[in-house]
Amino acid sequence: EVQVLESGGGLVQPGGSLRLSCAASTLDFSSSSMVWVRQAPGKGLEWVSALSSRGDDAYYADSVKGRFTVSRDNSKNTLYLQLDSLRAEDTATYYCAKCGGNCLRNYFEYWGQGTLVTVSS
Amino acid sequence: DIQLTQSPSFLSASVGDRVTITCRASQGISSYLAWHQQKPGKAPKVLIYAASTLQSGVPSRFSGSGSGTEFTLTISSLQPEDFATYYCQQLNSYPFTFGPGTKVDIK
């Protein structure tokens, strides 16, 4: 069974930075696009970012554009999300998901269990 | 951006009931719609994609239909493990968007 495991969450001060990692135990990681989705406490799901299988096409929600950077290392089956200039409103559980091939006009095949990011002084 | 609305936002039902949740898109998205289930404190799980394709391992009591701007998720006979929040999601274009969710609670 495919496992998707996020790590790197924690408490950070406003204006600070954090890097999240997402490791996927799947043979087809290098041919799958990946996404990040977040969920603020008690709120709904918000798509954050997507990255193509080769890492050459990245997409961001307007709310994080210019502050977050998505990347991947296919040799390590790992996706990353660099969070900079963090704000209180970025407090959320961050989920990683593997798409079934491309994400666009396709689907999220597997979700990770999430990692909590808390932005507070 | 494509907006998704869901109705109802809250639903109280009994075990064995047939349940239908509706999702409407602000513009046509063909069949590029998925449904996700989320239980408290847990990660979401995809139930249906491409509007009507059941994800592997999902019970057949779940079904989806629709295309264009109107979609439905139906649970034919509600089971105790189905009490959760359900989200629709469009994957027709970036930014991907989710509906606000429908919470299904025990009557």
Side-chain angles (χ1 to χ4, degrees), chain B residues 29-70:
Chain B
I29 58 171
S30 186
S31 296
Y32 302 117
L33 186 106
W35 290 95
H36 302 273
Q37 176 194 64
Q38 187 178 34
K39 297 180 181 179
K42 300 294 186 182
K45 166 188 166 184
V46 61
L47 298 175
I48 286 168
Y49 61 94
S52 61
T53 302
L54 204 62
Q55 170 70 325
S56 175
V58 173
S60 59
R61 62 181 180 272
F62 290 93
S63 64
S65 65
S67 68
T69 61
E70 188 151 335

Side-chain angles (χ1 to χ4, degrees), chain A residues 9 12-13 22 34 38 43 48 50 55 58 63 74 86 96 98 106:
Chain A
V12 60
Q13 292 188 337
C22 168
M34 301 288 292
R38 68 184 180 183
K43 302 297 185 182
V48 171
S63 57
N74 286 345
L86 282 162
C96 164
K98 173 190 172 299
N106 207 333

Side-chain angles (χ1 to χ4, degrees), chain A residues 9-63:
Chain A
L11 175 64
V12 60
Q13 292 188 337
S17 297
L18 211 56
R19 189 175 85 153
L20 307 182
S21 299
C22 168
S25 64
T26 173
L27 294 177
D28 65 343
F29 181 84
S30 61
S31 60
S32 299
S33 294
M34 301 288 292
V35 296
W36 289 98
V37 174
R38 68 184 180 183
Q39 186 171 37
K43 302 297 185 182
L45 301 170
E46 179 190 15
W47 171 79
V48 171
S49 181
L51 186 63
S52 62
S53 58
R54 294 186 300 179
D56 50 0
D57 282 322
Y59 304 86
Y60 299 94
D62 285 346
S63 57

Side-chain angles (χ1 to χ4, degrees), chain B residues 16-98:
Chain B
D17 284 353
R18 181 181 181 88
V19 166
T20 298
I21 299 169
T22 298
C23 177
R24 290 186 174 86
S26 59
Q27 62 191 81
I29 58 171
S30 186
S31 296
Y32 302 117
L33 186 106
W35 290 95
H36 302 273
Q37 176 194 64
Q38 187 178 34
K39 297 180 181 179
K42 300 294 186 182
K45 166 188 166 184
V46 61
L47 298 175
I48 286 168
Y49 61 94
S52 61
T53 302
L54 204 62
Q55 170 70 325
S56 175
V58 173
S60 59
R61 62 181 180 272
F62 290 93
S63 64
S65 65
S67 68
T69 61
E70 188 151 335
F71 302 85
T72 59
L73 171 70
T74 299
I75 310 172
S76 60
S77 178
L78 198 65
Q79 298 302 301
E81 60 268 30
D82 300 338
F83 292 96
T85 299
Y86 295 85
Y87 295 93
C88 60
Q89 178 208 11
Q90 68 84 17
L91 298 101
N92 181 73
S93 61
Y94 288 108
F96 295 150
T97 45
F98 290 89

